[in-house]
Amino acid sequence: QVSSGNLLRYKAYDEAFGDTLTFDVWTPDGYSIFKKHPVLYMHDGQMLFDADKCWNHKAWEMDDAAGRLITSDSITPIIIVGIHNLPTRLCDYMPAQYDSLMAEGGEKAEMDKLFIGRKRGGEYVSAIVNTIKPIVDDEYSTNPAQEATAIMGSSMGGLISLYAICAYPDVFSSAICMSTHFSTSAEREELADAMYKYTVTHLPDPATHKFYFDNGTMPCDDAYIPFFFKMAEILKENGYNESNLMYREFPGHWHSEEYWASRVNIPLKFIYSK
């Protein structure tokens, strides 16, 4: 159920990923085949629209947030694609490219206990680019160009969104990374260091790309705060500024859909403001 717009569900098998992905496509009220719409790809798709269908009964309420902003003429009308996660979510959102930059033992060993199976985040993003995006562009009136394509997620979804824009800068122009999972704890830096190394060597052109980062101050978001600032420093040292890089900290916010929902209007306006 959505409060505005229309929602349709699709399934697609990707051979490289080795699984079928379910994804929902939300079109706003007033969607027209005579207009070309920007597209926002989001992870954890089953948590985006209908709280009654979520395991914890909490949703991002993207139909409410995007619908209100579009109705008030605050942002350009967008299409939202919500890609459902699988039981293998942790491995699907962890690219082997990050994992390979981590030394054996330490945080890598801790992650290996949690992330059971092959780390296939690279294949997951490839499936978005090579299987899901062509379907969306074929079925809907989209602007398929890089400058009109963004990717967004929270926690591990923020991690894989950061990877996606660096791995495919010719596909994605913006990455919205909320409460990004930089580390398994405040004391562990190996994963964050790997993310820094990959990002700085694959950094998209600041003239054509945007980044949004945020976090709350309550568990477990508080553990990520130092890593956000270091990532922001890296981006600033490589040409990013307030026009294409936004970071926000939200006191009292926990690591939960209800808090992401309460502030999602901020990155939406940063990326899609008229």
Side-chain angles (χ1 to χ4, degrees):
Q1 299 294 319
V2 289
S3 61
S4 69
N6 187 52
L7 194 69
L8 290 177
R9 180 160 295 173
Y10 297 80
K11 292 180 181 290
Y13 178 80
D14 183 85
E15 187 172 354
F17 182 59
D19 252 317
T20 297
L21 286 165
T22 299
F23 57 100
D24 298 331
V25 180
W26 180 83
T27 50
D29 290 331
Y31 166 79
S32 170
I33 61 171
F34 300 108
K35 298 178 181 178
K36 297 296 183 181
H37 299 75
V39 182
L40 173 61
Y41 290 87
M42 295 186 65
H43 315 292
D44 297 310
Q46 60 265 62
M47 308 298 292
L48 300 182
F49 298 105
D50 189 350
D52 290 339
K53 301 296 183 181
C54 300
W55 67 270
N56 60 359
H57 301 291
K58 297 176 182 179
W60 287 62
E61 309 294 354
M62 291 300 297
D63 48 321
D64 285 340
R68 284 195 304 269
L69 291 172
I70 292 169
T71 299
S72 65
D73 209 32
S74 297
I75 66 171
T76 190
I78 63 173
I79 293 171
I80 299 173
V81 179
I83 305 153
H84 291 214
N85 65 54
L86 297 171
T88 51
R89 176 181 183 272
L90 292 178
C91 287
D92 297 344
Y93 290 3
M94 170 58 73
Q97 291 84 345
Y98 286 175
D99 188 64
S100 66
L101 294 171
M102 299 175 67
E104 296 298 327
E107 188 173 15
K108 188 176 190 302
E110 290 184 4
M111 288 169 51
D112 287 342
K113 294 177 183 178
L114 296 172
F115 297 22
I116 306 300
R118 180 170 63 90
K119 297 175 179 64
R120 55 179 185 171
E123 291 87 344
Y124 166 70
V125 175
S126 174
I128 297 174
V129 171
N130 296 309
T131 296
I132 294 177
K133 187 177 187 298
I135 294 172
V136 174
D137 290 337
D138 185 59
E139 293 287 329
Y140 293 88
S141 183
T142 70
N143 180 347
Q146 177 260 12
E147 62 265 21
T149 308
I151 194 159
M152 177 180 183
S154 63
S155 193
M156 288 293 293
L159 179 153
I160 197 63
S161 295
L162 173 63
Y163 166 80
I165 194 173
C166 293
Y168 294 92
D170 57 333
V171 175
F172 302 107
S173 62
S174 301
I176 299 172
C177 309
M178 302 175 74
S179 300
T180 302
H181 183 87
F182 276 101
S183 175
T184 53
S185 72
E187 292 74 36
R188 292 292 193 183
E189 300 183 359
E190 295 97 316
L191 173 57
D193 285 341
M195 294 168 68
Y196 302 148
K197 291 175 183 176
Y198 186 86
T199 300
V200 78
T201 56
H202 295 78
L203 199 62
D205 185 349
T208 52
H209 293 80
K210 282 186 174 183
F211 286 92
Y212 173 91
F213 292 97
D214 74 15
N215 66 273
T217 60
M218 304 298 286
C220 58
D221 269 28
D222 58 342
Y224 301 143
I225 293 174
F227 307 113
F228 279 104
F229 284 115
K230 185 167 181 179
M231 181 60 75
E233 290 175 7
I234 291 172
L235 294 173
K236 289 177 181 178
E237 289 170 357
N238 288 274
Y240 283 84
N241 55 45
E242 63 275 3
S243 69
N244 49 27
L245 171 62
M246 180 180 286
Y247 171 78
R248 291 290 183 270
E249 189 173 299
F250 295 90
H253 280 214
W254 294 75
H255 197 80
S256 173
E257 284 79 12
E258 61 190 300
Y259 291 101
W260 299 322
S262 72
R263 63 187 195 246
V264 73
N265 62 303
I266 297 173
L268 289 179
K269 287 194 285 188
F270 179 57
I271 302 301
Y272 297 110
S273 175
K274 288 188 171 181

